[in-house]
Amino acid sequence: MKENKRKEIFPFFKNNPNATYLDSSLTTIIPKVVIDEMSNFYQFYLPTIERSNNILTEKSKELFLLSLLKIAQFINAKTINEIIPTSGTTNSLNLLSISLLDDLKEGDEIILGEFEHASNYLPWLVLAKKKKLKIRHYKVNNDLKIDYEDLKKIKNSRTKLISVSYIFNSIGTINDIKKIKKIVGKDVLVVVDAAQAVGHIKIDVKDLDCDFLAFGGHKMFGPNGIGIIYGKENLLKNLKLSNYGGGMFEYYNLEKFDYRKLPNKFYAGTPNITGIIGLAKAIEFINQIGIEKIRNHCENLKFLLEEKISKLEDILILNPKIRSSILLFRKKNIHSEDINYELQQHNIFARNGFYCVNNDNKLLNTKEQSIRISFQYYNNEDDVLKLVETLKNGGDFLDGLFNTKKNKKCA
C-alpha cells in the first residue's frame, strides 16, 4: 500500500486529519477492520460463552476458540491451552507474580533490569519483599544492550526466575531472549514482557524457549483491555490460580475442589470475548501486511529521523544507531515538557518523561526527561519532516526559561 494511502484505513486519521501521531509505543491507532469486527460481533452475536447451552452461545464460543487459535499461531504456541486471556500486559505480569508466590522461598533470587518498565519490575519487587527474595540486576553496556557476560556471572544456584523486556520501551533495544534462556538454563524461569515487541517483530515462543510471555492488544492495532499470558503447557498445568469463580471448576464442596483442564481452569467468570476477537482481527491485519514489512518501515523512519535531527543545534540523541522504531532525544537547556507542548501546538503528538522506567536517567547518563518518538505502519516520511521542521523553527518558544524538574509520568 502506498504511504499516502495507509492512514485512510484508520478512522482516527479521517476524524483527525491534521494529527501527526508519533506515540505508538504508548498505544497504537486501531484500523477500521478491527473496529468493524468488534462492532459486528456486538450486533450479531451474544457476548458470552458456556453460560447457557443454546445456539447463540455456541456460535460465540466457536468465534472465541477460532480467535484463540489465531493468537496461538501468531506466536507459534503449540495449542490454545498455552494462551490465557487477561486484561493487558500489566495484568498478565501481576497474575504471574501472584501465581508463582508459592513456588519461591526465602533466599531464592530473581534477576531483573533496573530500567525495566514498572509493570515488569514492581510485581516482582512486591513478590521479593513478601517472600524475602533477593533481586539481582544485570548490567547494560554503553551500547544500551544487555551485558550477557555479566548475566552469566550473577546467575547462580539460587536463581529461580528472570523477567526481561523483549524490547525496552524507552530505548528500543531488542534483547536476545533465546540467548538469555541458554545462559540461565532450563531450571530458571524466563518471563518475557513482549508489550513493545508484539507489534513490530516476529515472535516464536518455541524458538525463544521462554517459559512465559506477556503482551497486550492496544500496542498491536488491537483493543485495549485485552492481553495474553503465554505459558508452556506443563507449567500452566501446575500454575497456582489467582482468580476463582464460575466456569473454571469441575466440582466443589466443603471438602473438595477440582478445577477444569487447560485453558478453562483460568476462565473464572466470562472472559473478554469481544477483546479476544478484536485481538485476533488485529493479528490478521498484521499478517496481511507482514510483520517484517512493518518492522523495516518503522526502523527506516527512525533512522531517517535520527539523520535529520542529528544536524540540528543542541539536539542530543540518547539511543543512536539502535535498530528500533523508537528514537529518544533531548534539546540542550530546554525541558522536554516544554518541547512536547510546542509540538502539540503543531498537532504533533509524541511523549515526554521517563516512560515508567525509574532508573533510565542513570542508564542514559542524564537527570533530565526526554522526548520519545515511536513509529508504526501508518507513519510516513512526511511525519518525520514535519517534526524536524517544527523542532528547527520552534526556537522562539523553546527558550529554556522553564527548565525545571517536572513530575514523572507513565507511558
Side-chain angles (χ1 to χ4, degrees):
M1 182 178 294
K2 293 181 179 180
E3 285 199 0
N4 60 351
K5 295 288 185 181
R6 287 180 181 174
K7 293 185 179 182
E8 294 180 5
I9 59 179
F10 297 88
F12 172 86
F13 292 112
K14 181 179 180 180
N15 295 314
N16 299 273
N18 296 321
T20 299
Y21 184 72
L22 299 172
D23 197 12
S24 293
S25 288
L26 174 66
T27 196
T28 49
I29 306 301
I30 302 179
K32 188 175 186 300
V33 290
V34 174
I35 297 171
D36 289 346
E37 186 81 356
M38 297 172 68
S39 177
N40 288 339
F41 179 73
Y42 277 126
Q43 292 180 71
F44 297 103
Y45 294 87
L46 192 66
T48 189
I49 57 173
E50 296 190 339
R51 294 299 185 269
S52 179
N53 294 324
N54 60 54
I55 191 170
L56 294 175
T57 57
E58 286 303 309
K59 286 182 177 180
S60 298
K61 182 180 178 180
E62 182 180 356
L63 281 178
F64 178 71
L65 293 175
L66 286 172
S67 297
L68 287 179
L69 182 60
K70 287 181 182 179
I71 295 167
Q73 292 171 339
F74 184 64
I75 61 171
N76 199 27
K78 288 194 300 183
T79 71
I80 63 171
N81 289 346
E82 297 185 322
I83 304 297
I84 309 301
T86 68
S87 65
T89 309
T90 298
N91 180 235
S92 296
L93 294 166
N94 275 273
L95 287 175
L96 276 176
S97 70
I98 294 169
S99 298
L100 292 169
L101 183 69
D102 294 337
D103 296 324
L104 299 167
K105 63 182 185 299
E106 182 176 346
D108 286 344
E109 296 185 3
I110 295 174
I111 298 176
L112 301 171
E114 289 184 79
F115 48 91
E116 286 286 342
H117 190 284
S119 295
N120 195 32
Y121 195 100
L122 292 179
W124 307 113
L125 177 61
V126 171
L127 175 63
K129 289 185 177 297
K130 283 183 179 179
K131 301 290 290 189
K132 296 182 179 179
L133 312 175
K134 181 174 182 178
I135 292 178
R136 290 183 179 269
H137 290 149
Y138 56 76
K139 294 179 182 178
V140 170
N141 293 318
N142 291 334
D143 61 1
L144 305 181
K145 297 179 181 179
I146 291 176
D147 186 335
Y148 296 105
E149 292 302 314
D150 177 68
L151 181 58
K152 292 177 184 178
K153 294 176 184 177
I154 63 174
K155 185 267 176 183
N156 58 65
S157 61
R158 296 180 297 277
T159 307
K160 302 301 178 185
L161 180 146
I162 179 171
S163 193
V164 62
S165 293
Y166 203 154
I167 297 179
F168 290 138
N169 73 300
S170 56
I171 55 178
T173 305
I174 301 174
N175 297 312
D176 193 335
I177 304 300
K178 192 174 180 179
K179 187 172 185 176
I180 289 172
K181 181 61 178 178
K182 287 181 179 179
I183 290 172
V184 299
K186 62 181 179 62
D187 295 328
V188 177
L189 294 175
V190 174
V191 179
V192 180
D193 175 355
Q196 296 295 333
V198 70
H200 287 280
I201 62 176
K202 175 63 179 173
I203 294 178
D204 184 335
V205 292
K206 290 180 185 176
D207 184 58
L208 296 176
D209 197 26
C210 58
D211 298 291
F212 298 101
L213 183 138
F215 63 91
H218 75 104
K219 296 183 190 291
M220 53 180 295
F221 307 109
N224 55 15
I226 188 66
I228 296 295
I229 294 174
Y230 156 81
K232 290 178 178 176
E233 189 167 357
N234 63 310
L235 296 175
L236 290 178
K237 282 180 180 178
N238 299 315
L239 193 68
K240 300 293 190 299
L241 296 169
S242 56
N243 291 324
Y244 300 86
M248 51 77 66
F249 66 89
E250 287 284 2
Y251 174 83
Y252 71 91
N253 58 27
L254 288 175
E255 286 76 36
K256 188 178 180 181
F257 167 47
D258 288 331
Y259 49 76
R260 297 173 69 185
K261 295 180 180 180
L262 289 174
N264 301 78
K265 68 177 269 190
F266 292 100
Y267 294 171
T270 303
N272 184 355
I273 302 165
T274 314
I276 285 292
I277 289 171
L279 178 57
K281 193 65 178 181
I283 285 171
E284 186 179 309
F285 175 77
I286 290 172
N287 287 337
Q288 287 176 346
I289 300 168
I291 192 73
E292 281 300 316
K293 184 176 180 180
I294 292 173
R295 177 180 181 175
N296 291 333
H297 173 72
C298 295
E299 290 173 354
N300 287 339
L301 290 177
K302 186 265 187 181
F303 285 126
L304 175 64
L305 177 60
E306 185 173 333
E307 175 193 347
K308 296 289 185 183
I309 68 171
S310 64
K311 300 173 183 177
L312 300 183
E313 187 177 359
D314 294 332
I315 291 287
L316 173 64
I317 298 172
L318 302 178
N319 63 336
K321 301 179 181 179
I322 295 289
R323 187 184 177 195
S324 170
S325 64
I326 295 170
L327 187 136
L328 218 60
F329 73 90
R330 289 181 56 238
K331 186 173 175 63
K332 186 178 179 181
N333 296 326
I334 308 294
H335 199 283
S336 64
E337 203 159 293
D338 299 324
I339 297 173
N340 198 24
Y341 178 84
E342 171 69 0
L343 294 179
Q344 290 182 58
Q345 306 315 299
H346 297 269
N347 293 307
I348 298 173
F349 302 95
R351 187 70 188 156
N352 72 279
F354 294 107
Y355 326 110
C356 281
V357 184
N358 194 48
N359 289 281
D360 236 9
N361 53 337
K362 295 178 183 178
L363 172 68
L364 299 173
N365 194 30
T366 174
K367 295 182 180 180
E368 298 290 342
Q369 296 183 18
S370 59
I371 296 288
R372 183 183 69 185
I373 304 298
S374 49
F375 296 106
Q376 245 309 340
Y377 175 73
Y378 35 70
N379 294 120
N380 55 39
E381 290 189 11
D382 289 341
D383 295 334
V384 172
L385 297 177
K386 180 179 176 181
L387 172 62
V388 172
E389 286 303 309
T390 303
L391 290 171
K392 186 187 300 183
N393 299 324
D396 290 341
F397 176 80
L398 303 175
D399 55 10
L401 291 177
F402 306 104
N403 186 27
T404 57
K405 292 184 179 179
K406 307 285 184 178
N407 293 327
K408 292 184 179 181
K409 293 182 179 179
C410 282

